[in-house]
Amino acid sequence: MVEELKAKGFAVGHTRIGRLMRENSLQAVRRRKQRYNRQNTMTPSLSYAPNMLDQDFGADTTNHKWSADISYIPTLEGWVYLAVVMDLYSRRIIGWCMSDRMKYNLALNALNMAITLRNPRSGLIHHSDRGSQYCAIQYQMKLKEYGIITSMSGKGNCYDNAVVETFFKTLKAEIVWRTQFKTRQQAQNTIHDYILNFYNSKRRHSTLGNITPMVYEKINE
């Protein structure tokens, strides 16, 4: 809040903003503890890859390290599954896809979006968990086609992909837990708008020095 107001030209500090928020009964959105709902499909797959990332989420430039994962969104019609690909350099979501089914093409469509946007060079590290969607032959062949190095988390270790897990918690705290989606389409439209028009372009990240992912890329590339 302080950084956003400063960017708009207001001379404010944390103490004053804290007082004004208390006086107006405003408080930060709290995150809930994350629960995991993994579903495996019987897609033919290759063997697991070693953990090349090893919880080192720093990157020297764009397209150095990507991280991918899948989460789920409740609606009155049933689950919507969200697959994302994040560039760890800027924390920008560069690929995403949503579907009512959690099969390999959900993750593959998100990857294809990221590749189309970035056109990465060979040597990029792509990290994910060991879910069948990421082990699927079709997914692994796409990575191989672009010379992308596969990295996978240890069995059942969510900390190996903590940055994307944090994104999902942020998404749910700011949007999902505050909204009862009547339809899957409503959820998909809302989340698409959140990622494209807020998270990537307007939401400030403390890890990036309180600027947005898109601005961070612009001023550092």
Side-chain angles (χ1 to χ4, degrees), residues 37-213:
N37 180 29
R38 299 296 187 190
Q39 293 185 2
N40 291 321
T41 58
M42 300 303 292
T43 304
S45 62
L46 303 175
S47 59
Y48 300 135
N51 188 342
M52 305 294 292
L53 205 59
D54 196 25
Q55 297 186 22
D56 179 5
F57 305 116
D60 297 328
T61 184
T62 56
N63 303 328
H64 179 198
K65 298 176 183 177
W66 290 359
S67 192
D69 204 355
I70 298 172
S71 191
Y72 57 97
I73 312 298
T75 78
L76 296 182
E77 287 185 338
W79 297 113
V80 168
Y81 298 99
L82 168 66
V84 302
V85 179
M86 173 187 285
D87 191 317
L88 291 177
Y89 173 71
S90 62
R91 304 304 200 255
R92 180 178 176 181
I93 303 300
I94 55 175
W96 64 91
C97 182
M98 287 169 277
S99 174
D100 62 345
R101 306 181 73 182
M102 196 164 70
K103 292 191 173 182
Y104 79 87
N105 57 341
L106 170 69
L108 184 59
N109 287 339
L111 175 64
N112 284 333
M113 180 179 178
I115 289 173
T116 299
L117 176 67
R118 296 294 204 176
N119 191 25
R121 297 179 180 179
S122 62
L124 160 71
I125 296 175
H126 172 287
H127 187 81
S128 70
D129 61 22
R130 296 183 176 188
S132 61
Q133 299 82 8
Y134 298 110
C135 293
I137 291 174
Q138 297 90 334
Y139 197 95
Q140 290 298 312
M141 290 301 291
K142 177 63 69 171
L143 295 177
K144 185 176 181 180
E145 178 184 347
Y146 284 85
I148 299 174
I149 301 169
T150 303
S151 171
M152 290 186 177
S153 300
K155 183 177 180 180
N157 191 343
C158 63
Y159 297 106
D160 285 343
N161 212 358
V163 178
V164 182
E165 295 289 356
T166 297
F167 162 74
F168 285 140
K169 290 179 182 178
T170 299
L171 167 68
K172 291 181 178 181
E174 295 181 348
I175 296 293
V176 176
W177 293 329
R178 301 162 62 88
T179 309
Q180 185 179 61
F181 296 114
K182 295 181 180 179
T183 65
R184 291 187 175 97
Q185 191 61 54
Q186 180 192 5
Q188 292 182 39
N189 292 343
T190 301
I191 292 167
H192 174 83
D193 183 68
Y194 173 84
I195 294 173
L196 183 64
N197 297 316
F198 181 69
Y199 183 85
N200 283 339
S201 59
K202 295 180 180 179
R203 192 183 191 281
R204 297 174 183 273
H205 294 243
S206 59
T207 304
L208 306 178
N210 287 315
I211 58 178
T212 71

